[in-house]
Amino acid sequence: MGMAFVSRLRRPLGLLLLPAMLAACSGGLTPPDDIDGADVGAIRPSRPVAMEIGDTGGDLPDYSSESMQAMPAATQKKRLPMIDSDEAMGMAEPVQASAGALSVPEGGVSMDDGLGVGRVEGLAEAQANEIAEGNATQVVVDGIGTDDPRAVNQSEALPMSEAGMELGGESEGYLRVPDKAARRREAAEGEQVAFLPRLSNPMQMPETMGGMPASEKACRQRLQRLGVTFRDVPRVSRGRSCGIDWPIELSGLSGGIQIKPAAQVNCQISEAFARWVKNELVPSTRMRYLSGVSAIHQMSSYSCRTMNSQKGAAMSEHAKGNAIDVGKIVLKNGKAISIEKKGFFAFREKGLLKAVRGDSCKYFSTVLGPGSDRFHKDHFHFDLRARKSGYRHCSL
């Protein structure tokens, strides 16, 4: 019975002694103190570990700045450097940017300048500059998206050549802009195209369809009987002050007399001028020089300007094509007579110019020439200005 009790007691004693033996053996498994270096315990980290905020209790070691300063130098040298720091990159000292080497200018770095390549202006920039300077070839439109879109900076008169013509013709340097009456006439013509054939000759077109008035047709018939060389040219219009409704280009008179250059005038001044040359000028030259007239050099016909081109003056008859200036008369014998003040012994020339001035006043309402004023010292001016009193101004 005693042996049975001992065998029963052995099993619980073995269970109690086994943990005690394991605890005794674990003491030899502790690593030595110098495994991480001098004075560093095996259970302590080699560098400070940041403690969580509020975790101040327990038996954790103190890693404050005072305690770290108190640590041996060997322990401090073992701390790892910060990532991307100069120390981690192997640089003893940080690199300082030298003046100009790594500095960036305010306007940025131009790679073209560094490579020696000139600046290239882009298409969008070029078009923007043209529009800003007013040199754009395309029409600039304002009010897009509204009920009133309109072109910006579009003038009514477009400059052409010196004797520019409307619709491919000539008119004192400006392209005609039709007025309201012309637009209505053109619209009426367009409405009739579908019913009646369009007539290119204005003398054949009925006046109700925008054709030439009866008075203009009659004037042209008289020019033909006088032997005048002319042709109809497109209407000239430049506002209310300048223009000729039914202009002609006068290039010659009866007897083969040439007008140089061809004059752009109305039919009425052309008829008066042709009658004066045929009835007065040619007989005067034949009487004094035994020669007819070969050519007449005109200095001005249609011109949109004021009287004597003076600022603030009334509009000249030239602005209506109702005047013509003569600067020189060339005879068939080759003699050229300039319209200017003659010397004492130039009897025939002085007599001819005096006859011109006196005879022409029967055909024109205004005659000016050398001696009239400083503006007409080198030419004769003839016009058909209508005055209410019927007064004719002939400076003799």
Side-chain angles (χ1 to χ4, degrees):
M1 185 173 178
M3 293 295 294
F5 176 77
V6 171
S7 61
R8 292 179 181 177
L9 184 62
R10 185 184 303 169
R11 184 175 298 176
L13 289 177
L15 295 176
L16 293 175
L17 291 176
L18 181 60
M21 293 175 63
L22 291 175
C25 293
S26 63
L29 297 178
T30 303
D33 292 344
D34 58 350
I35 188 171
D36 290 331
D39 300 331
V40 178
I43 62 174
R44 295 182 180 180
S46 61
R47 55 187 177 88
V49 178
M51 296 176 62
E52 296 184 2
I53 299 176
D55 187 8
T56 57
D59 298 332
L60 292 177
D62 183 14
Y63 293 110
S64 62
S65 59
E66 292 80 1
S67 61
M68 289 296 298
Q69 292 178 0
M71 293 178 63
T75 303
Q76 296 182 12
K77 289 182 181 181
K78 290 297 182 178
R79 65 181 181 82
L80 298 177
M82 297 292 292
I83 298 175
D84 293 337
S85 64
D86 294 336
E87 184 179 357
M89 299 296 293
M91 300 179 183
E93 296 181 358
V95 178
Q96 300 295 331
S98 60
L102 298 178
S103 60
V104 179
E106 295 182 359
V109 178
S110 175
M111 298 181 64
D112 292 339
D113 294 341
L115 297 175
V117 179
R119 180 178 178 274
V120 178
E121 185 180 39
L123 178 59
E125 184 180 359
Q127 291 179 346
N129 293 335
E130 287 183 0
I131 295 175
E133 297 296 332
N135 299 326
T137 55
Q138 69 269 25
V139 177
V140 180
V141 180
D142 188 17
I144 296 177
T146 66
D147 295 334
D148 186 26
R150 59 190 181 279
V152 179
N153 298 330
Q154 297 296 313
S155 59
E156 293 187 354
L158 303 179
M160 295 178 64
S161 60
E162 180 179 356
M165 284 178 53
E166 172 209 6
L167 301 178
E170 305 178 12
S171 90
E172 194 60 29
Y174 285 86
L175 180 66
R176 176 182 73 92
V177 178
D179 55 16
K180 294 182 179 179
R183 293 192 183 99
R184 287 195 297 268
R185 183 167 61 249
E186 293 172 358
E189 294 175 4
E191 293 173 357
Q192 299 294 331
V193 169
F195 305 96
L196 297 175
R198 187 180 182 89
L199 303 177
S200 58
N201 189 342
M203 294 191 66
Q204 297 177 0
M205 184 181 298
E207 185 176 355
T208 55
M209 295 175 57
M212 187 178 295
S215 60
E216 292 289 339
K217 294 178 181 179
C219 179
R220 281 158 175 76
Q221 292 172 355
R222 293 192 295 269
L223 291 182
Q224 292 174 353
R225 290 194 293 267
L226 286 170
V228 177
T229 304
F230 69 95
R231 70 183 183 94
D232 289 294
V233 294
R235 180 175 181 266
V236 179
S237 177
R238 189 184 172 194
R240 297 181 179 179
S241 302
C242 301
I244 312 173
D245 288 337
W246 302 101
I248 66 172
E249 185 181 79
L250 179 64
S251 58
L253 304 175
S254 63
I257 300 174
Q258 296 180 346
I259 305 297
K260 297 182 177 181
Q264 192 173 51
V265 288
N266 61 30
C267 185
Q268 291 71 34
I269 192 70
S270 300
E271 181 182 2
F273 190 72
R275 292 185 182 278
W276 167 71
V277 171
K278 182 177 182 179
N279 299 333
E280 307 296 341
L281 180 60
V282 172
S284 295
T285 59
R286 290 187 184 278
M287 182 181 67
R288 291 173 173 82
Y289 294 96
L290 302 177
S291 175
V293 178
S294 173
I296 297 176
H297 291 255
Q298 63 94 6
M299 295 178 61
S300 178
S301 53
Y302 169 77
S303 178
C304 186
R305 60 180 174 83
T306 59
M307 295 177 61
N308 302 321
S309 299
Q310 298 298 299
K311 185 177 181 180
M315 294 302 296
S316 171
E317 290 298 303
H318 286 285
K320 304 174 184 177
N322 199 35
I324 187 170
D325 293 348
V326 176
K328 184 168 62 175
I329 300 171
V330 181
L331 305 182
K332 289 186 176 180
N333 62 10
K335 182 176 179 57
I337 303 173
S338 299
I339 311 303
E340 59 185 5
K341 187 176 181 180
K342 301 300 179 179
F344 179 78
F345 295 102
F347 299 112
R348 288 190 296 180
E349 292 186 5
K350 287 193 297 182
L352 178 62
L353 296 183
K354 185 176 180 180
V356 166
R357 182 169 295 180
D359 297 338
S360 59
C361 202
K362 295 182 293 184
Y363 300 85
F364 306 100
S365 61
T366 306
V367 179
L368 300 171
S372 299
D373 52 42
R374 63 187 179 89
F375 301 107
H376 299 88
K377 63 181 180 179
D378 58 353
H379 67 276
F380 277 124
H381 169 88
F382 307 110
D383 71 40
L384 292 176
R385 179 181 290 272
R387 299 179 176 90
K388 294 180 180 180
S389 62
Y391 167 70
R392 291 176 180 268
H393 182 81
C394 299
S395 180
L396 301 178

